[in-house]
Amino acid sequence: MNNFGYSISPSSRIDLDKRDNDKFTRIVLLEPGFRKCMACGLCSSTCSGANFTDVSLRRAIEMIQDGQEKSAIVLLKGCMLCGKCNIICPRGINTRNLIRNILKVYMEELQ
Amino acid sequence: MKERFLFGYDPFVLPFTLGMVFIILYLLVGTARIIISLTHEEQISLLKSLKPKQLFKTIKDVITDCLLHIKIFKRNPLLGYMHFSIAFGWFMLIVVGHIEVMLYTPQRNGILYYPVFFRYFVMETQQTLRGAFFFFLMDLFLLMVLSGIALAIFKRFRSRALGMRRTTKLKIGDTFALYSLWAIFPLRLLAESFTADISGGSFLTKSINHLVHGFVSNPDNALPIWWCYSIALGVFLFALPFSRYMHIPTEILLIFLRNAGIKATSFRNGYAEAEIYSCSRCGICIDACPMGVNLGDIKFSTVYTIRLLRKRENALEGAEKCLMCNKCVEVCPVGINSTQLKLLYRQSFNDTGDHDFSYLSPQNIKHNKEKILYYAGCMTHLAPAIYLSLFKILKKAGIEYNFMDADGSICCGRPLMLSGDFKGASQLIDKNKDIILNSGCTTLLLSCPICYKVFREEYNLQGIEVVHHSVYINDLLNSGKIKVDRVHESFVFHDPCELGRGSNIYNEPRELLSSIGTLKNSPEEKGESICCGGSLGSLTMQYERRKRITEHSLSMLYTNNPDTLVTACPLCLKTFSPVNSKRTVDIAQVVSEHLI
């Protein structure tokens, strides 16, 4: 094989095999709104924490759907649970409950 | 008055006596357990509270709460009378019974069953005025209790007549205690009537004795009914610890602990334990709970959550669903701070410290000469009209201020605290406290009642006055710094939970609105105001259910058809506006619109 000095980078975007489906279903059970997210980003744009750091619920949800749970937790750890996203969410997702449960379910193995 | 039996004993007293011994031992052990589980400081303050002056107040509280049931009287006179007649009547029966024993058969003093079955053991040798007086008293109080029992039975079928839409569903222990309680007094009436021709009686017992004289002239017929009476008492006393009637003795202990200034520090220890056992499951909180509009959610109301806690079962679902609006605490006749219990329960599950706020660096601190620091808070940033209106008012009054979170807020910590994560909340509290103390302000002005409560209660900001803008604007108006127009507009004021019940501010916003337009009432206002449904207190409630609560709350507010809905909380404002067909505004907006 010729060495061109570069190679095809593996896709990190969507890899459903990496996703822990058990935990994913657990979160859906704990917060049914999880599946309703349409990634509009209103939660991230209104976020109090996002003024200071890169807290973003929208990105975190997408990351979990793609199996990148660890990076999602890093994003959500800074959440102050103030509830602004809860009020603003056009899909009526209980975002606070979602964030709490994501942290709870995915932090279990890290501890 | 003479004794009929040499030994003053008959086997029928056994069920009652065994029950009484059982309950006395149970109560002694229970009280000792609760007092032992208090911390040393709490035990000392309990001892200190037994000084005469404080003791007098405690005893007064015990009489008004446990015997007279003043709080229930204020809610509904008939319901109050029901509780009053049973509690007070029964208490007086016991007291007068003991006095009778002391006067007529002093040699039997201290025998548990003697005052209860006094009329079986004595016979009247001559009628005296004193005897007639005591017999009259006994019959009078018995009649009083019987009227209460009649009301209680009526309430089982038509609770609405006594001002209760829903009542608590009973468990097996409650059923035993309830039916034996109902049976005790009619049986006592019959038993005393059957022996009234021997022991003497008054208007009630004597009359019944005359009516059934042919039957009771054979004394063998009297004994079975005395047996029944004793068994009913025995069943009640044995069922007591497994029933809601445990509140009768526990409430006295609770009042002593409360007056000693002791508070719950865990969801099931010391004071909390006394609170849990003091719940009488009267069900007044069921009607009060805003979740009641969603039929399936009635099982999460406070009374059932406390019952689960008492049985040491998992109560997390109810505790996390609760809106923490505090209305159940407001209406509770026993004064159980159930919201605090639920919060401590949440803490035991959720105080994980999962959050990491190290990114909030202290560089935000700025020092300013202005004495007033304004903190909008997260929610107010969602409704900028509130702080813009407030700034307009402040400008008009010529007041300089400093906007603490113009570039984005660090949350006050209350939402995190409500989720039970006290560790995370304390990190936020520390960050905010640094900023506030370094700003050199003397007044902290707030727009959001959620922040207001936590700044007042958890921040310990010495030397800094914390004010909510509704109070501050009212002060500006009263001191003449701003003037407003009077208009032909009618308002209704929605009391936000955290401002009203949470911080006891009811009148200032109303005064303010009355000086602008007409203030209309709503049937459930002030302490009884219904949560808007948006509360951050509820962790798991879904949007659809919240919306139904909002609609219900709104329909109550619009009972007298006002033009505008006014509130003083950005969260209430954001929750009501999408559902409300009329205008929803904050109190600062109303004032700024009508400034002269």
Side-chain angles (χ1 to χ4, degrees), chain A residues 83-100:
Chain A
K84 275 163 102 175
C85 47
N86 205 347
I87 292 182
I88 217 85
C89 179
R91 302 286 283 166
I93 302 170
N94 189 343
T95 51
R96 289 174 80 224
N97 193 30
L98 184 58
I99 294 168
R100 262 172 13 98

Side-chain angles (χ1 to χ4, degrees), chain B residues 397-439:
Chain B
I399 290 166
E400 294 284 316
Y401 58 89
N402 187 13
F403 193 175
M404 174 169 147
D405 54 344
D407 310 322
S409 331
I410 300 175
C411 173
C412 61
R414 174 89 178 144
L416 210 54
M417 195 171 244
L418 281 171
S419 81
D421 191 349
F422 285 41
K423 282 186 205 134
S426 69
Q427 288 186 45
L428 294 177
I429 289 175
D430 290 345
K431 301 273 183 205
N432 274 322
K433 205 170 160 181
D434 271 355
I435 303 177
I436 296 166
L437 291 179
N438 281 309
S439 73

Side-chain angles (χ1 to χ4, degrees), chain A residues 31 46 48 51-53 77-84 87-88 92 94 96-97 100 103-104 107 111, chain B residues 320 350 354-357 359-360 378-379 382 408-409 411 415-416 419 428 536 539-543 571:
Chain A
E31 176 49 49
T46 189
S48 285
N51 276 315
F52 306 101
T53 184
K77 264 185 149 183
C79 168
M80 302 189 260
L81 230 56
C82 71
K84 275 163 102 175
I87 292 182
I88 217 85
N94 189 343
R96 289 174 80 224
N97 193 30
R100 262 172 13 98
L103 285 178
K104 227 182 212 174
M107 296 258 295
Q111 278 161 359
Chain B
E320 291 202 331
N350 299 339
D354 282 347
H355 299 270
D356 173 20
F357 300 119
Y359 63 86
L360 296 169
C378 307
M379 287 301 165
L382 276 184
S409 331
C411 173
L416 210 54
S419 81
L428 294 177
L536 293 175
L539 300 175
T540 52
M541 198 186 288
Q542 296 297 317
Y543 174 72
L571 180 55

Side-chain angles (χ1 to χ4, degrees), chain A residues 82-84 86-88, chain B residues 323 379 382-383 386 450 494 496-497 530-537 541-554 557-558 565 567-586:
Chain A
C82 71
K84 275 163 102 175
N86 205 347
I87 292 182
I88 217 85
Chain B
L323 292 156
M379 287 301 165
L382 276 184
I386 297 176
I450 305 166
H494 167 74
C497 308
I530 306 168
C531 173
C532 66
S535 167
L536 293 175
M541 198 186 288
Q542 296 297 317
Y543 174 72
E544 296 74 25
R545 303 203 156 223
R546 283 176 185 270
K547 196 177 166 198
R548 241 167 288 155
I549 295 175
T550 315
E551 283 161 354
H552 172 67
S553 179
L554 202 61
L557 286 165
Y558 278 156
L565 170 62
T567 181
C569 169
L571 180 55
C572 299
L573 182 76
K574 292 302 280 186
T575 314
F576 277 129
S577 346
V579 184
N580 191 357
S581 55
K582 296 180 186 173
R583 212 160 71 100
T584 320
V585 284
D586 188 87

Side-chain angles (χ1 to χ4, degrees), chain B residues 156 168-181 235-236 238-245 281 304 307 310-311 313:
Chain B
R156 278 287 128 193
T168 323
K169 288 206 171 65
L170 299 176
K171 286 270 178 202
I172 184 84
D174 296 331
T175 323
F176 266 97
L178 179 78
Y179 291 127
S180 55
L181 180 65
V235 170
F236 179 72
F238 273 111
L240 190 72
F242 315 103
S243 75
R244 53 185 189 161
Y245 298 100
R281 293 183 214 150
Y304 297 120
R307 182 156 81 188
R310 181 168 155 182
K311 290 197 289 184
E313 282 172 21

